[in-house]
Coordinates of all heavy atoms in Angstrom, one line a residue:
P8 N 31.7 125.9 191.6 CA 31.3 127.0 190.7 C 30.7 128.1 191.5 O 30.5 129.2 191.0 CB 30.2 126.3 189.8 CG 29.7 125.1 190.6 CD 30.8 124.7 191.5
D9 N 30.4 127.9 192.8 CA 29.5 128.9 193.5 C 30.0 129.2 194.9 O 29.2 129.7 195.7 CB 28.1 128.3 193.6 CG 28.0 127.0 194.3 OD1 29.1 126.3 194.5 OD2 26.9 126.5 194.6
S10 N 31.3 129.0 195.3 CA 31.7 129.5 196.6 C 31.7 131.0 196.6 O 31.8 131.7 195.6 CB 33.1 129.0 196.9 OG 33.0 127.6 197.3
F11 N 31.6 131.6 197.8 CA 31.2 133.0 197.9 C 32.3 134.0 197.3 O 32.0 135.0 196.8 CB 30.8 133.5 199.3 CG 31.9 133.7 200.3 CD1 32.5 134.9 200.4 CD2 32.2 132.7 201.2 CE1 33.5 135.1 201.3 CE2 33.2 132.9 202.1 CZ 33.9 134.1 202.2
S12 N 33.6 133.6 197.4 CA 34.5 134.6 196.9 C 35.4 134.0 195.8 O 35.9 134.8 195.0 CB 35.4 135.1 198.1 OG 36.5 134.2 198.3
D13 N 35.6 132.7 195.7 CA 36.4 132.2 194.6 C 35.7 131.2 193.8 O 36.4 130.5 193.0 CB 37.7 131.6 195.2 CG 37.5 130.5 196.2 OD1 36.3 130.3 196.6 OD2 38.4 129.9 196.7
G14 N 34.4 131.1 193.9 CA 33.6 130.2 193.1 C 33.9 130.3 191.6 O 33.9 131.4 191.1
G15 N 34.1 129.2 190.9 CA 34.3 129.3 189.5 C 35.7 129.5 189.0 O 36.0 129.3 187.8
R16 N 36.6 130.0 189.9 CA 37.9 130.3 189.4 C 38.8 129.1 189.2 O 39.7 129.1 188.3 CB 38.6 131.3 190.4 CG 37.9 132.6 190.5 CD 38.8 133.6 191.3 NE 40.0 133.9 190.6 CZ 41.0 134.5 191.2 NH1 41.0 134.8 192.5 NH2 42.1 134.8 190.5
Y17 N 38.6 128.0 190.0 CA 39.5 126.9 189.9 C 38.7 125.6 189.5 O 39.1 124.5 190.0 CB 40.2 126.8 191.2 CG 40.9 128.1 191.6 CD1 40.5 128.7 192.7 CD2 41.9 128.6 190.8 CE1 41.1 130.0 193.1 CE2 42.4 129.9 191.1 CZ 42.0 130.5 192.3 OH 42.6 131.7 192.6
A18 N 37.7 125.8 188.7 CA 36.9 124.6 188.3 C 37.7 123.7 187.4 O 37.5 122.5 187.3 CB 35.6 125.1 187.6
D19 N 38.6 124.3 186.6 CA 39.5 123.6 185.7 C 40.6 122.9 186.5 O 41.3 123.6 187.3 CB 40.0 124.6 184.6 CG 41.1 124.1 183.9 OD1 41.0 123.1 183.1 OD2 42.2 124.6 184.0
L20 N 40.9 121.7 186.2 CA 41.9 120.9 187.0 C 43.3 121.6 187.0 O 43.9 121.8 188.0 CB 42.0 119.5 186.4 CG 43.1 118.6 187.1 CD1 42.8 118.4 188.6 CD2 43.1 117.2 186.4
D21 N 43.8 122.0 185.8 CA 45.1 122.6 185.7 C 45.2 123.9 186.6 O 46.2 124.1 187.3 CB 45.5 122.9 184.3 CG 45.8 121.6 183.5 OD1 45.9 120.5 184.2 OD2 45.8 121.6 182.3
A22 N 44.1 124.7 186.4 CA 44.1 126.0 187.2 C 44.1 125.7 188.7 O 44.7 126.4 189.5 CB 42.9 126.8 186.8
A23 N 43.3 124.7 189.1 CA 43.2 124.4 190.5 C 44.5 123.9 191.0 O 45.0 124.3 192.1 CB 42.1 123.3 190.7
V24 N 45.2 123.0 190.3 CA 46.4 122.4 190.8 C 47.5 123.6 190.9 O 48.3 123.7 191.8 CB 46.9 121.3 189.9 CG1 48.3 120.8 190.3 CG2 45.9 120.1 190.1
A25 N 47.5 124.4 189.8 CA 48.5 125.5 189.8 C 48.3 126.4 191.0 O 49.3 126.9 191.6 CB 48.4 126.2 188.5
H26 N 47.0 126.7 191.3 CA 46.8 127.6 192.4 C 47.2 126.9 193.7 O 47.8 127.6 194.6 CB 45.3 127.9 192.5 CG 45.0 129.0 193.5 ND1 45.6 130.3 193.4 CD2 44.3 129.0 194.6 CE1 45.2 131.0 194.4 NE2 44.4 130.2 195.2
G27 N 46.9 125.6 193.9 CA 47.4 124.9 195.1 C 48.9 124.9 195.2 O 49.4 125.2 196.3
V28 N 49.6 124.7 194.2 CA 51.1 124.8 194.2 C 51.5 126.2 194.6 O 52.5 126.4 195.4 CB 51.6 124.3 192.8 CG1 53.1 124.6 192.7 CG2 51.4 122.8 192.6
R29 N 50.8 127.2 194.0 CA 51.2 128.6 194.3 C 50.9 128.9 195.8 O 51.8 129.5 196.5 CB 50.3 129.5 193.5 CG 50.8 131.0 193.6 CD 49.9 131.9 192.7 NE 49.6 131.4 191.4 CZ 48.4 131.1 190.9 NH1 47.4 131.4 191.6 NH2 48.3 130.7 189.7
L30 N 49.8 128.4 196.4 CA 49.5 128.6 197.8 C 50.6 128.0 198.7 O 51.1 128.6 199.6 CB 48.2 128.0 198.2 CG 46.9 128.7 197.6 CD1 45.7 127.9 197.9 CD2 46.8 130.1 198.0
R31 N 51.1 126.9 198.3 CA 52.1 126.2 199.1 C 53.4 127.0 198.9 O 54.1 127.3 199.9 CB 52.3 124.8 198.5 CG 53.1 123.9 199.5 CD 54.6 123.9 199.4 NE 55.0 123.7 198.0 CZ 55.3 122.5 197.5 NH1 55.2 121.4 198.2 NH2 55.7 122.4 196.2
A32 N 53.7 127.5 197.7 CA 55.0 128.3 197.5 C 54.9 129.6 198.3 O 55.9 130.1 198.8 CB 55.1 128.6 196.1
E33 N 53.7 130.1 198.5 CA 53.6 131.3 199.3 C 53.6 131.1 200.8 O 53.7 132.1 201.6 CB 52.2 132.0 198.9 CG 52.2 132.6 197.5 CD 50.9 133.1 197.1 OE1 49.9 133.0 197.8 OE2 50.8 133.6 195.9
G34 N 53.6 129.8 201.2 CA 53.8 129.6 202.6 C 52.7 128.8 203.3 O 52.8 128.6 204.5
A35 N 51.8 128.3 202.6 CA 50.7 127.4 203.2 C 51.3 126.1 203.6 O 52.0 125.4 202.8 CB 49.6 127.2 202.2
H36 N 51.0 125.6 204.8 CA 51.4 124.3 205.2 C 50.4 123.3 204.7 O 50.8 122.1 204.4 CB 51.5 124.2 206.7 CG 52.5 125.0 207.3 ND1 52.3 126.2 207.9 CD2 53.9 124.9 207.4 CE1 53.4 126.8 208.4 NE2 54.4 126.0 208.1
L37 N 49.2 123.7 204.5 CA 48.1 122.8 204.0 C 47.3 123.6 202.9 O 47.1 124.8 203.1 CB 47.1 122.6 205.2 CG 47.4 121.5 206.1 CD1 46.4 121.5 207.3 CD2 47.3 120.1 205.5
V38 N 46.9 122.9 201.9 CA 46.0 123.4 200.9 C 44.6 122.7 201.1 O 44.5 121.5 201.0 CB 46.5 123.3 199.5 CG1 45.5 123.7 198.5 CG2 47.8 124.1 199.4
D39 N 43.6 123.5 201.4 CA 42.3 122.9 201.8 C 41.4 122.9 200.6 O 41.0 123.9 200.0 CB 41.7 123.8 202.9 CG 40.4 123.2 203.5 OD1 40.5 122.0 203.8 OD2 39.5 124.0 203.8
V40 N 41.1 121.7 200.1 CA 40.4 121.5 198.8 C 38.9 121.2 199.1 O 38.6 120.2 199.8 CB 41.0 120.3 198.0 CG1 40.3 120.1 196.7 CG2 42.5 120.6 197.8
G41 N 38.1 122.0 198.6 CA 36.6 121.8 198.9 C 35.9 121.7 197.6 O 36.1 122.5 196.6
G42 N 34.9 120.8 197.5 CA 34.1 120.6 196.3 C 32.6 120.9 196.5 O 31.8 120.6 195.6
E43 N 32.3 121.5 197.6 CA 30.9 121.9 197.8 C 30.8 123.2 198.5 O 31.4 123.4 199.6 CB 30.1 120.8 198.7 CG 28.7 121.2 198.9 CD 27.9 120.1 199.7 OE1 28.5 119.5 200.6 OE2 26.7 119.9 199.4
S44 N 30.1 124.2 198.0 CA 30.0 125.5 198.6 C 29.2 125.4 199.9 O 28.2 124.7 199.9 CB 29.4 126.5 197.6 OG 29.1 127.7 198.3
T45 N 29.6 126.1 200.9 CA 28.8 126.1 202.2 C 28.3 127.5 202.4 O 27.9 127.8 203.6 CB 29.7 125.7 203.3 OG1 30.9 126.5 203.3 CG2 30.1 124.3 203.2
R46 N 28.3 128.4 201.4 CA 27.8 129.7 201.7 C 26.3 129.7 202.0 O 25.6 128.7 201.6 CB 28.0 130.7 200.5 CG 27.1 130.4 199.3 CD 27.4 131.3 198.1 NE 26.8 130.8 196.9 CZ 25.5 130.7 196.7 NH1 24.6 131.2 197.5 NH2 25.1 130.2 195.6
P47 N 25.8 130.7 202.9 CA 24.5 130.6 203.3 C 23.5 130.5 202.2 O 23.6 131.2 201.2 CB 24.3 131.9 204.0 CG 25.7 132.3 204.5 CD 26.6 131.8 203.4
G48 N 22.6 129.5 202.3 CA 21.5 129.3 201.3 C 22.0 128.5 200.1 O 21.1 128.1 199.2
A49 N 23.2 128.0 200.1 CA 23.7 127.2 199.0 C 23.0 125.9 198.9 O 22.6 125.3 199.9 CB 25.2 127.0 199.1
D50 N 22.7 125.4 197.7 CA 22.1 124.1 197.5 C 23.2 123.0 197.6 O 24.4 123.3 197.3 CB 21.5 124.0 196.1 CG 20.2 124.7 196.0 OD1 19.5 124.7 197.0 OD2 19.9 125.3 195.0
R51 N 22.9 121.9 198.0 CA 23.9 120.8 198.2 C 24.2 120.2 196.8 O 23.4 120.2 195.9 CB 23.3 119.7 199.1 CG 23.0 120.3 200.5 CD 23.5 119.4 201.6 NE 24.9 119.1 201.5 CZ 25.4 118.0 202.1 NH1 24.6 117.2 202.8 NH2 26.7 117.7 202.0
V52 N 25.4 119.6 196.7 CA 25.7 118.8 195.5 C 25.7 117.4 196.0 O 25.9 117.1 197.2 CB 27.0 119.2 194.8 CG1 26.9 120.6 194.3 CG2 28.2 119.0 195.7

Side-chain angles (χ1 to χ4, degrees):
D9 58 346
S10 284
F11 77 86
S12 82
D13 56 357
R16 294 190 67 193
Y17 308 115
D19 163 68
L20 177 61
D21 290 344
V24 173
H26 189 62
V28 168
R29 188 182 313 122
L30 292 174
R31 198 273 306 272
E33 290 175 357
H36 295 100
L37 276 171
V38 172
D39 191 40
V40 182
E43 180 177 37
S44 171
T45 54
R46 73 179 161 74
D50 286 324
R51 302 223 53 204
V52 295

